[in-house]
């Protein structure tokens, strides 16, 4: 059974089959960013809801959602190089840390032995992305020579090199145990981390920073989605699926991998600059291997090679600890604090649950939360004939 409807791009007519949401007979419809009325409507509702959220939520939940947005930017960056281009990277934490310290150096005034430039956000945030992007551009040709497990180990080395550099470059980082204050989000003399008034409406600092991070996440997601649909994105997928065949077809392997690493490092740097503000004070231990594992978990749980999966994974990883701490006392044998009479503390239970979910998603649904959403959506689209 078929139905005809107007394509969202231009006046061309597209034919879709009822109950076959992924089957398009029109190339423009297939490539459109939001190619169905339902996607456009739900996306608009979600954007409006998230814009209004800080006016109804408490400061604690607002800060938690802000952290989700920031990690979402970093997860999109890792998904570009690992999910779309197939280059497994364990060095994401190094680029996040490099972005955080670049932002702190450019955004803070010099104090004592610490150096700084004291510039505003519109300067330090782009530089927080550009400096890691340049480092990623320099490292990428070496990383492009290996693949698979060797590439993962090579990028893991970046985390250890970064840890040493962050500890020893004390005039820039403050060193271990001391750290350095994050750059303030000041734009045009207005500190977005403090209460401000615009057009007679008073905004709390947490709300302003929330809105800033949300807008940056939207921009990052749209740019990444467009990149995935472009010639470069097609080259990423070709290299990921079969690099030798891609090279035979004329795809430059080294150039494609370098581009993926560079863009991914830029996203990681921007994420680091914003993440430092949520930390308040940053030190080298904040950007260790566990942070890289967290980012990998985000794209594995959310969905590899999908932008929406990156965002879902970031939300899942950031919100899971809060949900566990809130509801763990309903589970027998779980104590509320770090010590207690239960079989497990809430933190031990959180770690076990986190690991079990990663294993479950890899074994049962490799497409992650995005794959689960596709199953649910396709089931109800074809209901009651869902077989």
């Amino acid at each position: 059974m078929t139905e005809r409807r107007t394509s969202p791009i231009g006046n061309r007519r597209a034919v879709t089959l009822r109950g076959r949401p992924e089957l398009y007979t029109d190339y423009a419809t297939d490539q459109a960013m939001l190619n169905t009325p339902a996607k456009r409507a739900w996306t608009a509702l979600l954007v409006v809801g998230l814009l209004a959220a800080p006016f109804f939520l408490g400061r604690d939940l607002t800060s938690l959602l802000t952290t989700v947005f920031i990690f979402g930017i970093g997860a999109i960056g890792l998904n570009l190089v690992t999910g779309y281009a197939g280059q497994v990277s364990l060095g994401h934490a190094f680029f996040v840390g490099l972005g955080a310290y670049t932002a702190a150096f450019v955004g803070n005034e010099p104090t004592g032995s610490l150096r700084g430039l004291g510039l505003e956000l519109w300067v330090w945030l782009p530089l927080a992305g550009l400096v890691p992007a340049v480092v990623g551009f320099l490292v990428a040709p070496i990383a492009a020579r290996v693949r698979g497990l060797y590439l993962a180990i090579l990028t893991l080395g970046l985390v250890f090199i970064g840890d040493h550099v962050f500890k020893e470059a004390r005039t820039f980082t403050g060193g271990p145990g001391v750290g350095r204050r994050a750059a303030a989000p000041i734009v045009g003399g207005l500190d977005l981390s403090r209460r401000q008034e615009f057009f007679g409406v008073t905004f709390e600092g947490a709300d302003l920073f929330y809105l800033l991070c949300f807008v940056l996440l939207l921009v990052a997601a749209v740019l990444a989605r467009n990149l995935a649909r472009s010639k470069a994105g097609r080259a990423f997928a070709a290299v990921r699926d079969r690099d030798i065949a891609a090279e035979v077809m004329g795809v430059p392997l080294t150039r494609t991998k370098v581009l993926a690493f560079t863009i991914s490092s830029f996203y990681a740097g921007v994420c680091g600059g914003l993440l430092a503000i949520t930390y308040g004070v940053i030190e080298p231990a904040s950007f260790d291997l566990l942070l890289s594992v967290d980012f990998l978990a985000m794209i594995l749980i959310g969905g590899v090679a999908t932008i929406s999966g990156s965002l879902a994974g970031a939300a899942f990883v950031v919100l899971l600890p809060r949900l566990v701490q809130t509801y763990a006392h309903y589970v027998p044998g779980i104590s509320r604090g770090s010590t207690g009479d239960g079989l497990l503390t809430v933190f031990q239970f959180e770690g076990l649950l986190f690991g079990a979910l990663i294993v479950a998603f890899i074994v049962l649904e490799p497409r992650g939360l995005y794959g689960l959403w596709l199953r649910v959506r396709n089931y109800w689209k074809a209901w009651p004939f869902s077989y």
Side-chain angles (χ1 to χ4, degrees), residues 142 182 197 218 233 282:
I142 304 173
E197 183 174 334
L218 283 181
I282 52 176

Side-chain angles (χ1 to χ4, degrees), residues 57-114:
L57 298 177
R59 183 171 181 176
D60 186 38
L61 287 178
T62 301
S63 299
L64 201 60
L65 286 178
T66 304
T67 307
V68 171
F69 298 155
I70 296 171
F71 273 102
I73 295 174
I76 291 174
L78 183 61
N79 223 337
L80 285 175
V81 70
T82 298
Y84 284 96
Q87 307 303 301
V88 180
S89 173
L90 290 176
H92 211 57
F94 164 70
F95 295 108
V96 172
L98 192 58
Y101 281 117
T102 301
F105 167 69
V106 178
N108 281 322
E109 297 286 350
T111 55
S113 61
L114 290 175

